[in-house]
Amino acid sequence: MVYFYVFPNKIDDYSPFGYFHFGGTHTMTRIAILGATGYTALELIKILLRHPEVEIVAVTSRQEGQPPIAMIHPSLTNRLDLRLEDLSPAEVAARAECVFSCLPHGASASIVAPLLEAGARVIDFSADYRLDTPESYAEWYGQKHADPARVGKTPYGLPELFREQIPPANLVANPGCYTTSAILALVPLLKAGLIDPKTIIIDSKSGVSGAGRTPKLTTLYAECNESISAYNIGRHRHTPEIEQILGRASGKTVEVIFTPHLVPMDRGILSTTYSQPLVEASEEKLMQLFRDFYADEPFVRVVEHLPGTKDSSYTNFCDLTIRIVRGRVLTISCLDNLIKGASGAAVQNFNLMFGYPETTAL
Amino acid sequence: MVYFYVFPNKIDDYSPFGYFHFGGTHTMTRIAILGATGYTALELIKILLRHPEVEIVAVTSRQEGQPPIAMIHPSLTNRLDLRLEDLSPAEVAARAECVFSCLPHGASASIVAPLLEAGARVIDFSADYRLDTPESYAEWYGQKHADPARVGKTPYGLPELFREQIPPANLVANPGCYTTSAILALVPLLKAGLIDPKTIIIDSKSGVSGAGRTPKLTTLYAECNESISAYNIGRHRHTPEIEQILGRASGKTVEVIFTPHLVPMDRGILSTTYSQPLVEASEEKLMQLFRDFYADEPFVRVVEHLPGTKDSSYTNFCDLTIRIVRGRVLTISCLDNLIKGASGAAVQNFNLMFGYPETTAL
Amino acid sequence: MVYFYVFPNKIDDYSPFGYFHFGGTHTMTRIAILGATGYTALELIKILLRHPEVEIVAVTSRQEGQPPIAMIHPSLTNRLDLRLEDLSPAEVAARAECVFSCLPHGASASIVAPLLEAGARVIDFSADYRLDTPESYAEWYGQKHADPARVGKTPYGLPELFREQIPPANLVANPGCYTTSAILALVPLLKAGLIDPKTIIIDSKSGVSGAGRTPKLTTLYAECNESISAYNIGRHRHTPEIEQILGRASGKTVEVIFTPHLVPMDRGILSTTYSQPLVEASEEKLMQLFRDFYADEPFVRVVEHLPGTKDSSYTNFCDLTIRIVRGRVLTISCLDNLIKGASGAAVQNFNLMFGYPETTAL
Amino acid sequence: MVYFYVFPNKIDDYSPFGYFHFGGTHTMTRIAILGATGYTALELIKILLRHPEVEIVAVTSRQEGQPPIAMIHPSLTNRLDLRLEDLSPAEVAARAECVFSCLPHGASASIVAPLLEAGARVIDFSADYRLDTPESYAEWYGQKHADPARVGKTPYGLPELFREQIPPANLVANPGCYTTSAILALVPLLKAGLIDPKTIIIDSKSGVSGAGRTPKLTTLYAECNESISAYNIGRHRHTPEIEQILGRASGKTVEVIFTPHLVPMDRGILSTTYSQPLVEASEEKLMQLFRDFYADEPFVRVVEHLPGTKDSSYTNFCDLTIRIVRGRVLTISCLDNLIKGASGAAVQNFNLMFGYPETTAL
């Protein structure tokens, strides 16, 4: 015998969950998404539409007026029946228990405090709460931080390293895409003291969606297609994030050379890292170290083969492997920059914060 | 209170369904997939891994030996722990209640009979059971049909047109990708007698995955990329399928000119059709006809805007719109050739055959 | 014995012509390019850098200040040592004998008159001088024409149809990209009275560079990639151009249904046309008609196979073939939208206007 | 006054050179191309068709029978009127003065000797004559060398480093694509003693055409598209070539870590290198070193900006820049793998061998 279960603003027929029996009364977690016009917000919505325990109650945008969100994201037609609204933090918090902020850095910092005070819990996609100090933030983001008290005290939303900090948190800093691919590949080696933390080179390659949805010459199809290029060498803002989080996780002072490249594909990041070993270790021994380190992790796959970004596209997996070449330690890590690199990680954090199985909808 | 539910050969952590309570004892439908090395089989597996009511018990392949399927499809690493096997129909039927055959045409026809006799129910991805007569099959596929008795008597697995035939069926012919995009766009007009069934032009554009995974010069990256070309003009095998199914659905004798094009993208089909109207009708009137015709269909979206294939990529939706230009009726339809055009449609048929909500896992 | 020949603002080493002996004194044609920041201008410059008889003396742009052109087009580094300038028509005409205007429609019409009065000859890439009447221009371009007297009296720069009009002209209207692909495919059939001029359907597919270099959401990489879509159905501005030029060439009143599609590739146009024949004719007879019609044309290739756009990419060729399906006449034509569809055609016209062999540099 | 000049098997109209006066009697260099069915051969033919001083007299292929070459390469339709032939070295040498061998390694070594004995001069695209010793060849290519006497004694066809060796040579080893991008970026630093030759990391990214035209699963469109992956880490055959040629040029023992990646684009290579400096040097000082080193080179562009592969696509340029990050020296180099990385370099060598200006047709 089967009960039908109504998802507000989802079409029942579309929900694969519509016929489960949850037993007794049941309420879902009310969610708001700020800055809902970009690619990470779209991906987040698609994941949350598969989540049986959430209800999206608000999607906000400053610039776009109040069109139905399906006008901005046609792929949401018949899937999410909401209009974009321009709401104050108080209005958002009045409706939603959990707020995903997809606002740009700076804008996030200015609304997090009022949201928290109004009782909402926040998952912030921006870089505003990822770094260790307001000074470091000011140096790399060229502006004073609007909410300095929380900088360095906010859990970094990478459950593979900081799982225990996330459930009690009211604010979580969702990691950067490049950062996640680099950290997951390097932290087992650093914690084991196997590599010299001052010799790390990270050569990363990303799809174009990582550059956002605001029209720019550099992300036009005819500029990016059939071309690969490096950008922001030595000054990409994920550099301090990688160093500081690797430092937090390993207790070491880490210095990296980080070189991002733009690749003609929609999504996917591949990071190739090179480091100087501190002790002799065979490839097999290092592979085993990685397998052990991530043995209980649902979303990290330690693989023998050389992964391509396509293997983890549209999933929350990070694929990892390791090689030794001429005594240097190489790692290759792949993930989907919009999912494990952004919205999938955010839902993983949300599940931990609200007591749902960590893998729900992922 | 929460029960943990074990999916055989799925990693619990990955299942978004792991924590539902189904109440009482519960058994899942056992599934086998024949010809599991191609793109449609991979997509099928990914959908079925999201399905809470199925267990994949066998994946077969003649040519590939018995490697773990994750060696052939690295994206399945840690997701499906099965080896490819070379099994007889009897062996398959002994394990599985439902068999998805992703074998090429001809090969399917030769194993369907033994599978059915052994008690399995079959969803056939090939063209073997789609046409009206063995003669038409022989003409277009250049071979005698191995199981002529079932040709023309097998339900065509397009629920939008033949939903009532599918639940009782033991064999369903899963539709072709181009075919679905053309039929869904034209059948409302034909049934309403609004267009001349002898004037239909279908200009279709498909991504490269539709050409399969067998290495060929014509599907090499450096051949397809940065190029669009037409192929099989006037002799593509979906031509009779479109005509005969449109005929079944509308009761009219339909003749189409079908021109497929290969587009440099992985997935997606866009079909542009042109037909001569039989009666005056405004664009708005025709849009309303489409809205009414598909009002209860979970997977057909009648849209005002001109859809791009990306809007329905990785979904089971078909997006449809209509225009009138210089008195000619134009339709535009988009779908994902691997999902609504193949594996998603197959799961939709499976759900109907086995009494699950039609949208489960889709 | 060998003379070295200096190309002003070209690096000698790069010129494949540097070592020819031209005999006696020799002067080159001085050229200016207006609106030099876009893709057609870039392609034009690359072609002209291969031209042994021209000197580029000015490249203009309103919005971009006066940076070296290589800053706007890095591929021109060490190849063209000029800065973008904002020059008046008089200043341009004082320097250059021939002006290629890559300005948008409207802007071109406002500077052509002063350029001609100042003694320059002009090749206009915009649509301003392509149509038959100012009324038709106003209807399709939504503005009054700034130079109505020349509308309908300007040679249309398609040498395959109007070669004799081009050498004496001081102003030539360079054809549109879609237009060229459609006209070259249809005009032999229309002139021979083989198809009904009221039954023509043109289903065209274009690469993204055709949409220009101004940042727009619709031409962002992550919007276009992995997607095909139709746009401007029934209202694309090349519709009247196709009809009027086919009318001029064939003496018939032509009505077309024109459906452009955006394809994820940089360059290339494929047009598939469908028309109702007026007389029985075999495919072979029509192929022969095409071969005869274009027998002396250096840039039209009538081919047996189905051409892909890649076959003519980076060339000034238009590839053409013809099929008959169910009594309907189909043509397939391919060209590079930036070359035969724009800058290559412009140089072809330039060569005719200035007495150089028509194929020079192409 | 103008002479018309006939290019055997070229259509006059297409030649931009048809109207030059060469003065007195004039004969062209007769060329044969072995293994003409691949991408490098196609690119080579396109370049040679622009060369005013050559005549292509034979194109050979073992596997393909004797079809017109335009059947194998449709883009050559109306441009090169030759059939593929299966010719002996003697037959080839009887017709041609210069032979470009696009045969795979091993096959080349077996025909070079007879070709040279028969009086032809050879430019070999394979790796057979690039390494220093037959032992190193056997180690990396897994076979005994068929012509060991010439290994280590054959000029390496990189004019930027070995220009003086090329004009007198009867056999030139044309460089590998990755190799050229790495060598041009590193040799100025090594010769100046600025970097430690044992600390070099080369992270390279290549388009798919580099993998050749033989159908393979790994180069299918639907496998490569939307994915980037590393391959042959630590064992790619360009590794010894890079080390030995850098050694020849710098007199140092060089050890590199070379990591190639496959990028979803047709053509283009970007190499990012990282090395440990031996002396302090500013970015500006190193840029100046590069500018001076390549001051007279027509095909190396030292640029301030970060180049993309598109800037040098379809040209014979290599674009280079340099950065210092955290005291490490980084270089970025871009080139077209089919032109500067193969066929353009081959024509550059040809021009030097036969006394034509080095840049002719490039």
Side-chain angles (χ1 to χ4, degrees), chain D residues 96-128:
Chain D
E97 296 153 85
C98 184
V99 179
F100 293 81
S101 171
C102 301
L103 299 173
H105 64 85
S108 259
S110 64
I111 52 86
V112 159
L115 284 170
L116 295 173
E117 283 145 28
R121 300 173 77 184
V122 180
I123 296 167
D124 180 21
F125 281 58
S126 86
D128 285 346

Short mmCIF file of all heavy atoms in Angstrom, two decimals, chain D residues 96-128:
data_model
loop_
_atom_site.label_atom_id
_atom_site.label_comp_id
_atom_site.label_asym_id
_atom_site.label_seq_id
_atom_site.Cartn_x
_atom_site.Cartn_y
_atom_site.Cartn_z
N ALA D 96 60.68 12.12 -56.94
CA ALA D 96 60.73 13.28 -56.04
C ALA D 96 62.14 13.60 -55.58
O ALA D 96 62.95 12.70 -55.35
CB ALA D 96 59.85 13.01 -54.82
N GLU D 97 62.43 14.89 -55.44
CA GLU D 97 63.71 15.32 -54.87
C GLU D 97 63.65 15.32 -53.36
O GLU D 97 64.64 15.09 -52.67
CB GLU D 97 64.04 16.73 -55.34
CG GLU D 97 64.26 16.87 -56.84
CD GLU D 97 63.92 18.27 -57.31
OE1 GLU D 97 64.81 19.16 -57.22
OE2 GLU D 97 62.76 18.49 -57.73
N CYS D 98 62.47 15.64 -52.83
CA CYS D 98 62.32 15.72 -51.38
C CYS D 98 61.15 14.84 -50.94
O CYS D 98 60.07 14.91 -51.53
CB CYS D 98 62.09 17.15 -50.93
SG CYS D 98 61.99 17.31 -49.14
N VAL D 99 61.39 14.03 -49.93
CA VAL D 99 60.37 13.12 -49.42
C VAL D 99 60.04 13.49 -47.98
O VAL D 99 60.93 13.55 -47.13
CB VAL D 99 60.86 11.66 -49.49
CG1 VAL D 99 59.80 10.72 -48.93
CG2 VAL D 99 61.23 11.27 -50.92
N PHE D 100 58.77 13.77 -47.73
CA PHE D 100 58.29 13.96 -46.36
C PHE D 100 57.70 12.64 -45.91
O PHE D 100 56.72 12.17 -46.49
CB PHE D 100 57.22 15.04 -46.28
CG PHE D 100 57.70 16.44 -46.58
CD1 PHE D 100 57.87 16.89 -47.89
CD2 PHE D 100 57.99 17.32 -45.55
CE1 PHE D 100 58.31 18.18 -48.16
CE2 PHE D 100 58.42 18.62 -45.81
CZ PHE D 100 58.59 19.05 -47.12
N SER D 101 58.31 12.01 -44.91
CA SER D 101 57.77 10.75 -44.41
C SER D 101 56.89 10.98 -43.19
O SER D 101 57.38 11.36 -42.13
CB SER D 101 58.88 9.77 -44.06
OG SER D 101 58.31 8.65 -43.39
N CYS D 102 55.59 10.75 -43.37
CA CYS D 102 54.65 10.81 -42.24
C CYS D 102 54.32 9.40 -41.77
O CYS D 102 53.27 9.17 -41.15
CB CYS D 102 53.38 11.54 -42.67
SG CYS D 102 53.69 13.22 -43.23
N LEU D 103 55.22 8.45 -42.03
CA LEU D 103 55.02 7.08 -41.59
C LEU D 103 55.26 6.97 -40.09
O LEU D 103 55.98 7.78 -39.52
CB LEU D 103 55.97 6.14 -42.35
CG LEU D 103 55.79 6.10 -43.87
CD1 LEU D 103 56.90 5.27 -44.50
CD2 LEU D 103 54.42 5.52 -44.23
N PRO D 104 54.68 5.96 -39.45
CA PRO D 104 54.93 5.75 -38.02
C PRO D 104 56.39 5.37 -37.75
O PRO D 104 57.09 4.95 -38.68
CB PRO D 104 53.97 4.63 -37.64
CG PRO D 104 53.57 3.98 -38.92
CD PRO D 104 53.70 5.02 -39.99
N HIS D 105 56.84 5.53 -36.49
CA HIS D 105 58.22 5.15 -36.17
C HIS D 105 58.41 3.68 -36.52
O HIS D 105 57.46 2.90 -36.51
CB HIS D 105 58.53 5.43 -34.70
CG HIS D 105 57.72 4.65 -33.74
ND1 HIS D 105 58.06 3.38 -33.33
CD2 HIS D 105 56.57 4.94 -33.10
CE1 HIS D 105 57.16 2.93 -32.49
NE2 HIS D 105 56.23 3.87 -32.33
N GLY D 106 59.62 3.31 -36.83
CA GLY D 106 59.89 1.95 -37.28
C GLY D 106 59.74 1.85 -38.79
O GLY D 106 60.70 1.57 -39.52
N ALA D 107 58.56 2.16 -39.29
CA ALA D 107 58.34 2.14 -40.74
C ALA D 107 59.25 3.15 -41.43
O ALA D 107 59.84 2.87 -42.48
CB ALA D 107 56.88 2.45 -41.05
N SER D 108 59.40 4.31 -40.81
CA SER D 108 60.28 5.32 -41.42
C SER D 108 61.72 4.81 -41.51
O SER D 108 62.35 4.87 -42.57
CB SER D 108 60.24 6.62 -40.59
OG SER D 108 59.40 7.56 -41.20
N ALA D 109 62.22 4.30 -40.40
CA ALA D 109 63.63 3.86 -40.37
C ALA D 109 63.92 2.84 -41.47
O ALA D 109 65.03 2.78 -42.00
CB ALA D 109 63.96 3.26 -39.00
N SER D 110 62.90 2.08 -41.85
CA SER D 110 63.14 1.02 -42.83
C SER D 110 63.16 1.53 -44.26
O SER D 110 63.60 0.83 -45.17
CB SER D 110 62.07 -0.07 -42.68
OG SER D 110 60.81 0.48 -43.00
N ILE D 111 62.69 2.75 -44.51
CA ILE D 111 62.70 3.25 -45.90
C ILE D 111 63.64 4.42 -46.11
O ILE D 111 63.91 4.82 -47.25
CB ILE D 111 61.28 3.61 -46.40
CG1 ILE D 111 60.58 4.55 -45.43
CG2 ILE D 111 60.43 2.37 -46.60
CD1 ILE D 111 60.88 5.99 -45.62
N VAL D 112 64.15 4.98 -45.01
CA VAL D 112 65.02 6.16 -45.16
C VAL D 112 66.30 5.80 -45.93
O VAL D 112 66.68 6.49 -46.88
CB VAL D 112 65.34 6.78 -43.78
CG1 VAL D 112 66.60 7.64 -43.83
CG2 VAL D 112 64.16 7.62 -43.30
N ALA D 113 66.93 4.70 -45.53
CA ALA D 113 68.20 4.34 -46.18
C ALA D 113 68.03 4.19 -47.70
O ALA D 113 68.71 4.88 -48.48
CB ALA D 113 68.75 3.07 -45.56
N PRO D 114 67.09 3.33 -48.16
CA PRO D 114 66.92 3.22 -49.61
C PRO D 114 66.57 4.54 -50.29
O PRO D 114 67.03 4.82 -51.40
CB PRO D 114 65.79 2.19 -49.77
CG PRO D 114 65.24 1.94 -48.41
CD PRO D 114 66.27 2.35 -47.43
N LEU D 115 65.79 5.39 -49.62
CA LEU D 115 65.46 6.68 -50.22
C LEU D 115 66.72 7.53 -50.40
O LEU D 115 66.95 8.11 -51.47
CB LEU D 115 64.46 7.44 -49.36
CG LEU D 115 63.00 6.97 -49.41
CD1 LEU D 115 62.18 7.65 -48.32
CD2 LEU D 115 62.38 7.26 -50.78
N LEU D 116 67.54 7.58 -49.39
CA LEU D 116 68.77 8.38 -49.47
C LEU D 116 69.71 7.82 -50.53
O LEU D 116 70.27 8.56 -51.35
CB LEU D 116 69.46 8.43 -48.11
CG LEU D 116 68.70 9.14 -46.98
CD1 LEU D 116 69.43 8.95 -45.66
CD2 LEU D 116 68.53 10.62 -47.29
N GLU D 117 69.85 6.48 -50.52
CA GLU D 117 70.73 5.87 -51.53
C GLU D 117 70.24 6.19 -52.93
O GLU D 117 71.01 6.40 -53.85
CB GLU D 117 70.82 4.36 -51.31
CG GLU D 117 71.73 3.98 -50.13
CD GLU D 117 71.23 2.76 -49.37
OE1 GLU D 117 70.54 1.91 -49.98
OE2 GLU D 117 71.49 2.69 -48.14
N ALA D 118 68.91 6.24 -53.09
CA ALA D 118 68.36 6.53 -54.42
C ALA D 118 68.41 8.03 -54.74
O ALA D 118 67.91 8.47 -55.77
CB ALA D 118 66.93 6.01 -54.51
N GLY D 119 68.99 8.82 -53.83
CA GLY D 119 69.22 10.22 -54.16
C GLY D 119 68.19 11.21 -53.66
O GLY D 119 68.29 12.41 -53.92
N ALA D 120 67.19 10.74 -52.94
CA ALA D 120 66.20 11.67 -52.41
C ALA D 120 66.72 12.28 -51.09
O ALA D 120 67.57 11.71 -50.42
CB ALA D 120 64.88 10.95 -52.16
N ARG D 121 66.20 13.44 -50.77
CA ARG D 121 66.44 14.02 -49.44
C ARG D 121 65.16 13.84 -48.63
O ARG D 121 64.05 13.88 -49.19
CB ARG D 121 66.83 15.49 -49.56
CG ARG D 121 68.11 15.68 -50.38
CD ARG D 121 68.41 17.14 -50.65
NE ARG D 121 68.97 17.81 -49.47
CZ ARG D 121 69.24 19.13 -49.44
NH1 ARG D 121 68.97 19.89 -50.49
NH2 ARG D 121 69.76 19.67 -48.34
N VAL D 122 65.30 13.57 -47.34
CA VAL D 122 64.15 13.12 -46.54
C VAL D 122 63.96 13.99 -45.30
O VAL D 122 64.92 14.32 -44.60
CB VAL D 122 64.34 11.65 -46.11
CG1 VAL D 122 63.14 11.17 -45.29
CG2 VAL D 122 64.56 10.74 -47.33
N ILE D 123 62.71 14.35 -45.07
CA ILE D 123 62.31 14.97 -43.80
C ILE D 123 61.39 13.97 -43.11
O ILE D 123 60.33 13.63 -43.64
CB ILE D 123 61.61 16.32 -44.04
CG1 ILE D 123 62.60 17.30 -44.68
CG2 ILE D 123 61.06 16.87 -42.72
CD1 ILE D 123 61.95 18.53 -45.25
N ASP D 124 61.84 13.47 -41.96
CA ASP D 124 61.15 12.37 -41.29
C ASP D 124 60.34 12.88 -40.11
O ASP D 124 60.90 13.41 -39.15
CB ASP D 124 62.17 11.33 -40.81
CG ASP D 124 61.49 10.17 -40.10
OD1 ASP D 124 60.27 9.96 -40.31
OD2 ASP D 124 62.18 9.47 -39.33
N PHE D 125 59.01 12.70 -40.18
CA PHE D 125 58.13 13.14 -39.09
C PHE D 125 58.19 12.20 -37.89
O PHE D 125 57.73 12.56 -36.81
CB PHE D 125 56.68 13.21 -39.58
CG PHE D 125 56.34 14.42 -40.38
CD1 PHE D 125 57.02 14.75 -41.54
CD2 PHE D 125 55.30 15.26 -39.97
CE1 PHE D 125 56.69 15.88 -42.28
CE2 PHE D 125 54.96 16.39 -40.70
CZ PHE D 125 55.65 16.69 -41.86
N SER D 126 58.69 10.99 -38.08
CA SER D 126 58.65 10.02 -36.98
C SER D 126 59.76 10.31 -35.99
O SER D 126 60.60 11.19 -36.19
CB SER D 126 58.80 8.61 -37.52
OG SER D 126 60.18 8.28 -37.65
N ALA D 127 59.79 9.52 -34.91
CA ALA D 127 60.82 9.71 -33.89
C ALA D 127 62.10 8.95 -34.21
O ALA D 127 63.06 8.99 -33.43
CB ALA D 127 60.27 9.24 -32.54
N ASP D 128 62.15 8.28 -35.38
CA ASP D 128 63.24 7.32 -35.61
C ASP D 128 64.64 7.93 -35.57
O ASP D 128 65.60 7.24 -35.24
CB ASP D 128 63.02 6.59 -36.94
CG ASP D 128 61.92 5.54 -36.82
OD1 ASP D 128 61.53 5.21 -35.68
OD2 ASP D 128 61.42 5.08 -37.86
#
